[in-house]
Amino acid sequence: MAGSTQSPRARYREQTRAEIKEIALRQLAEGGTGAVALTRIAKEVGLSGPALYRYFDSRDALLTDLIRDAYADLAAAVTEAAEALPATTSPRARLRALATACRNWAVAQPHRYLLIQGTPVPGYSAPPETVDSARAVLGPFLPAFDGAEPSSAVRPVVTQMKAWADTDPPVSEWVRLNAPAVDQGTALAGAMLAWSHMHGVVGLEVSGQFDGMGHDGGTLLTAQMDSLADTFGLA
Amino acid sequence: MAGSTQSPRARYREQTRAEIKEIALRQLAEGGTGAVALTRIAKEVGLSGPALYRYFDSRDALLTDLIRDAYADLAAAVTEAAEALPATTSPRARLRALATACRNWAVAQPHRYLLIQGTPVPGYSAPPETVDSARAVLGPFLPAFDGAEPSSAVRPVVTQMKAWADTDPPVSEWVRLNAPAVDQGTALAGAMLAWSHMHGVVGLEVSGQFDGMGHDGGTLLTAQMDSLADTFGLA
DNA sequence: TGTACATCAGTGAACGCGCGTTCACTGATGTAC
DNA sequence: TGTACATCAGTGAACGCGCGTTCACTGATGTAC
């Protein structure tokens, strides 16, 4: 809607911006953050170097955009997966489905996953909206812990998360919005553990640590989600 | 012993090599892999740029050394922790202790952890001995799964690991050496899961993702190890 | 509908930088007889 | 113990590179009256 009312100039501008980002992503995939170079991007788009500064204030601004996009994209993938679940889906199946959606996204585009979850880009500080995006990714996990009864092993985590929610109103609010009926400490602990499991598997997989092990990250992740469900006494 | 028979020249040489690496590590800590620059290292050691080539064939050779050292160091930390355990230590306590040793090492020197487990260095291919080092880190985890009875959640992983051991003799041999009495699939699955849990927590922690969450990686990791013990029915 | 002006995309030249690496060479330290 | 030679650490100059970014400028596209 906003798109169709755009002036031709603005539309063209958006198009070029998109093309620039696309090439930047390809460079990222090929050689990591350090390989994203304005000069070479310009050459590929068919522009002179300085022209890029009409579209991005600096190299950092471009990277920021890529990071923001990646977060939003991952969040969208998870949200979409959550919305595709029938209302009758068991918590266990929900965990599986969401975690798998995350992993699929990451494995399909490792460079983007590494961009947001990997080694922090040196000298670069993430925009504050990153926190919101991380929440958008994790939000759909929260309601899976409805009626959970955490085992003694994870109870310290529940306690710590409860304390966090109690002292950080936005967090508490976020949990309430996504999972109104669930104990806050339990929901947060569950989501936290799910996140950590996810990153454990995907992080290793994406860094190529499983290569030549005749071994599949999907099996590992599913198993971890299943035992997470067990740990929280979920159906 | 070998050290004391070294000629003065050789000793001096080793000393300079060590100094170079030390500075490289500091650069790594300050600005990531990309910040490791021979030119600046030389200046800090008080040598001219080309002189560094007497000590390392190239920048890549230096990085290789750093990676090898880091692996060896981490492996040593874990091994040491394993040897400090009394013979009567419960499997559960063993898992906790080893995982904590890993985490302590990583948290104390995040840049080195990121060097070996983080985003792969672009254009750099790891030396094959890396596999051995990874095994040295994971080896001490294997005997913890003596007498384990894996829950149904992780049984698919056990099956997959069993298949791996059956088709990869060196792996099978490695498991047998570290945990002769344990079912190979079970031991491998346990170590794999422990590794993944470890990386999940430490990877997020080291990338600063837990900042401002009033929340501690140690609690999370301990909880994960405890539930891993539960999942495998360990005492 | 035409004109005057403002906005915007894009250019080429230039700056300054630090990088990895090669080369021909010097002087000190070790080694063999 | 002395001498001849080989090895090694280190130097300064130089190469070529690509990088991010600034600047003054041109020409096209939009906008207001």
Side-chain angles (χ1 to χ4, degrees), chain B residues 71-72 75 127-140 170-171 174 178:
Chain B
Y71 263 119
E129 60 203 90
T130 292
V131 180
D132 299 333
S133 304
R135 277 182 201 159
V137 174
L138 249 30
V171 167
W174 167 69
N178 282 277

Side-chain angles (χ1 to χ4, degrees), chain A residues 166-213:
Chain A
D166 285 348
T167 56
D168 195 337
V171 167
S172 175
E173 176 70 10
W174 167 67
V175 177
R176 210 169 45 72
L177 274 175
N178 282 278
V182 193
D183 172 69
Q184 298 228 327
T186 305
L188 271 174
M192 202 73 211
L193 284 161
W195 187 28
S196 162
H197 286 203
M198 232 273 304
H199 180 67
V201 174
V202 175
L204 290 178
E205 191 172 14
V206 151
S207 307
Q209 311 265 1
F210 290 170
D211 294 356
M213 295 188 22

Side-chain angles (χ1 to χ4, degrees), chain B residues 50-68:
Chain B
L52 279 204
Y53 286 76
R54 296 277 165 208
Y55 299 93
F56 294 93
D57 285 347
S58 66
R59 185 176 175 268
D60 258 25
L62 172 57
L63 282 181
T64 302
D65 243 60
L66 294 184
I67 291 176
R68 192 162 36 69

Side-chain angles (χ1 to χ4, degrees), chain B residues 28-227:
Chain B
L28 184 71
E30 280 161 10
T33 322
V36 178
L38 296 190
T39 315
R40 262 178 310 119
I41 293 177
K43 197 172 292 174
E44 271 200 68
V45 197
L47 287 176
S48 72
L52 279 204
Y53 286 76
R54 296 277 165 208
Y55 299 93
F56 294 93
D57 285 347
S58 66
R59 185 176 175 268
D60 258 25
L62 172 57
L63 282 181
T64 302
D65 243 60
L66 294 184
I67 291 176
R68 192 162 36 69
D69 285 0
Y71 263 119
D73 225 44
L74 174 56
V78 175
T79 306
E80 201 180 318
E83 281 166 0
L85 294 174
T88 57
T89 309
S90 71
R92 185 180 226 93
R94 186 184 182 87
L95 286 181
R96 270 198 188 208
L98 295 181
T100 302
C102 268
R103 173 170 171 268
N104 285 345
W105 186 90
V107 170
Q109 32 201 346
H111 52 290
R112 296 183 82 196
Y113 183 78
L114 288 169
L115 185 65
I116 58 182
Q117 298 277 15
T119 307
V121 179
Y124 173 88
S125 60
E129 60 203 90
T130 292
V131 180
D132 299 333
S133 304
R135 277 182 201 159
V137 174
L138 249 30
F141 285 86
L142 294 169
F145 297 91
D146 193 5
E149 289 177 13
S151 83
S152 68
V154 295
R155 220 158 289 151
V157 181
V158 174
T159 307
Q160 210 170 62
M161 292 291 116
K162 179 118 207 142
W164 182 32
D166 285 349
T167 55
D168 195 336
V171 167
S172 175
E173 176 71 8
W174 167 69
V175 177
R176 210 169 45 71
L177 273 176
N178 282 277
V182 191
D183 172 69
Q184 298 229 327
T186 305
L188 272 175
M192 202 72 209
L193 284 161
W195 187 28
S196 161
H197 287 237
M198 231 276 302
H199 180 67
V201 173
V202 176
L204 290 178
E205 192 173 12
V206 150
S207 308
Q209 311 265 1
F210 291 171
D211 294 357
M213 292 187 26
H215 154 256
D216 164 42
T219 309
L220 199 61
L221 185 57
T222 306
Q224 294 204 16
M225 286 301 151
D226 279 359
S227 41

